[in-house]
Amino acid sequence: MGCSPPMKRYETHPALAGWDGTIRDARRLQVDLAARVALETPPGPALRTLAGFDVGFEDGGSITRAAAVLLDADSLQPLAEALVRVPTRMPYVPGLLSFRELPALVEALGRLPAVPDLAFVDGHGIAHPRRLGIAAHFGVATGLPCIGVAKSILCGDHGPLRDEPGAHVPLEHEGEQIGWVLRSKRACRPLVVSPGHRVSMRDALDRVVRALTRYRLPEPTRLADRLASRRAATAD
DNA sequence: GCGACAG
DNA sequence: ATCTTGTCGC
C-alpha cells in the first residue's frame, strides 16, 4: 500500500478555502491560486492609503500575533492599527508559510477601520517556487493589490548589487524574473521585493522605494513588524 | 543521495 | 519567528 504514514491534517480556515488541511493539498492549491495572480497594475487614481502586515509569535510560538497598520500614502504617517492574537495551528514549513499565517493576517485586515489601497505583506509575493508566496496568497484571497517585502531569498538567483541605497537587480528563477533584490539602506542586507497581486513587477519596486525613509524596511512593513513583535517605537 | 529552505 | 548584550561600521 502507498499511504502508511498517517498524513496529518491541519485545521482549515475560510481564508484558506479549497484546502483539505494536508501538506500535499496545500502545494496543489498553491499551483491553482498562482494562476489567478494578476501581474498588471490596474489604472486608477493615486493611492491614498497603504497598509503594512506582519506576524509575530508569543509563548514560544503557541500564540500567533498578526499586525496591520494603515498609513497615509503620501505622508507615510500611521492612521490606524490592528493587532490580532490567535492560537497557532500549523508549524512553519518552507514554501507553505501562508497556510500558517494567512488566517491571522486576514483577521487583522478586517479590524482596520478602512480597506487600504495597497498592502505590503512581510514575505514573498510571486518570488516563490510555485509563485504563490504569502503576499500573493493574501492578494488572491482578499482581492487587494499587494506587494511582498521579504528579508531573504526563498528561491532564485541574482547578479552583484551595488551598495548605494536604491540599487536593485532582478531576482530570477527558472528563466523568469520573479522579483527584485533591493538595497534599501547602505551596508544593510538587501530586501526582496515581488508583486503579490494586481501590481506590476516595475510598480512593486517603485512603490517600495517610495515608502522608504531612514530604515531598512519600508514604513508600512516597519510599523507592522514593530507592532507584531511587541517592540516599542525608538525615541526620535 | 545531498543541500536549501520566506517567517 | 524567537531566545539575547555588546559591538563594529556606515
Side-chain angles (χ1 to χ4, degrees), chain A residues 50-64:
Chain A
L50 304 178
F53 293 83
D54 190 24
V55 170
F57 298 88
E58 291 178 23
D59 189 42
S62 66
I63 300 297
T64 297

Side-chain angles (χ1 to χ4, degrees), chain A residues 50-54 67-72 75-83 211 213 215 217-234:
Chain A
L50 304 178
F53 293 83
D54 190 24
V69 178
L70 186 69
L71 305 79
D72 175 81
S75 68
L76 297 182
Q77 291 307 300
L79 301 173
E81 57 181 44
L83 180 62
T213 59
Y215 308 94
L217 300 176
E219 206 60 2
T221 304
R222 191 180 74 83
L223 296 181
D225 182 76
R226 215 174 58 182
L227 182 57
S229 300
R230 67 203 305 16
R231 289 189 301 264
T234 297

